Amino acid sequence: ARRRAGVPVVLLWLGDVLGDDCDPAVALARPGVRELVRVARSHEAAGGPSFAVLGAHEWRCGAPAVHLQPGSGPRPWRLPAANYVVRVNQGGATRVVSNCSDRMCTVEPAGPDALVDLVLLDTAAWLGPPAEGGPLLTAADTSLAQQQALLAALEQSPQTTPRLLVTHHPIETAGPHGQGGLYPDSAFSLHPAPLRRAIDLGLFAGALSGHDRSLSATADIADAV
């Protein structure tokens, strides 16, 4: 209905989709998730874009490379990198406009038809890293280096389009994962320094996150924390 009304619709998966099942086929067939997948497939079939960020469970089930899906595939979303930027234009079309290699990132300048930039970051590499060392911890360090490079590129790019930060872990929340909550792992002070700096600099017009199993929307989280 929103598409028919001419409103751009982008479907975002905010991590932990796999739940306790590390096999994506099993996870996506769970009751509830199965219905969401059906909606997502229908959305994609109608030309609607769908993107994802990595969550804590995805890290528990393997490094980001296991879950990356640059284009269409078995999962109902695109995940071209652990950290990336998607530009939405006035007509609702989307395009990945960031490119990272060798710990260096670039972001394409926005044109006059740009509506919003979605900055999708892998917070689980910092807040939910692998418990043991080895290849997974190396992958987490690589994701964080990529994230720092992408934030640096955004800081150096002229901001002519609003940017929406999209993460698994909230930047702040008044739910159980917030500061003072039962499972406090999602608060501004707990995020890595490059992300805190980007937020302090005002790089983002807002943030959209998952992880906390509660629904909240606010223009100012000061009272909550």
Side-chain angles (χ1 to χ4, degrees), residues 67-212:
H67 306 287
L68 298 187
Q69 182 176 288
S72 59
R75 301 179 180 93
W77 59 73
R78 289 180 62 192
L79 183 56
N83 306 273
Y84 61 107
V85 179
V86 173
R87 182 159 297 143
V88 186
N89 71 17
Q90 299 286 345
T94 59
R95 189 164 57 89
V96 177
V97 295
S98 59
N99 183 52
C100 295
S101 61
D102 297 328
R103 302 197 176 193
M104 294 290 292
C105 294
T106 58
V107 179
E108 296 178 22
D113 66 334
L115 177 65
V116 64
D117 280 359
L118 305 175
V119 182
L120 297 99
L121 300 184
D122 174 20
T123 54
W126 175 263
L127 291 171
E132 300 177 359
L136 273 184
L137 192 57
T138 300
D141 289 341
T142 299
S143 177
L144 290 170
Q146 181 188 70
Q147 183 180 127
Q148 183 172 0
L150 182 59
L151 290 171
L154 289 172
E155 184 179 335
Q156 295 162 12
S157 302
Q159 189 167 346
T160 57
T161 303
R163 294 169 178 152
L164 178 65
L165 178 61
V166 181
T167 61
H168 173 64
H169 294 84
I171 303 305
E172 280 284 8
T173 172
H177 284 276
Q179 185 170 296
L182 184 60
Y183 314 104
D185 63 357
S186 298
F188 176 81
S189 61
L190 301 178
H191 286 277
L195 180 54
R196 297 200 312 269
R197 171 182 166 82
I199 294 169
D200 278 338
L201 289 173
L203 260 60
F204 307 109
L208 179 64
S209 308
H211 192 60
D212 221 346

Side-chain angles (χ1 to χ4, degrees), residues 1-74:
R2 299 295 281 176
R3 286 197 305 268
R4 286 195 299 270
V7 178
V9 178
V10 181
L11 182 59
L12 298 174
W13 299 77
L14 301 176
D16 278 8
V17 178
L18 297 183
D20 294 328
D21 298 299
C22 288
D23 182 346
V26 175
L28 296 177
R30 294 200 320 268
V33 177
R34 181 175 57 234
E35 285 70 25
L36 287 175
V37 169
R38 188 178 302 123
V39 171
R41 300 283 190 206
S42 174
H43 174 68
E44 286 187 317
S50 181
F51 295 94
V53 292
L54 292 165
H57 285 298
E58 280 73 47
W59 269 100
R60 180 176 58 81
C61 291
V66 175
H67 306 287
L68 298 187
Q69 182 176 288
S72 59

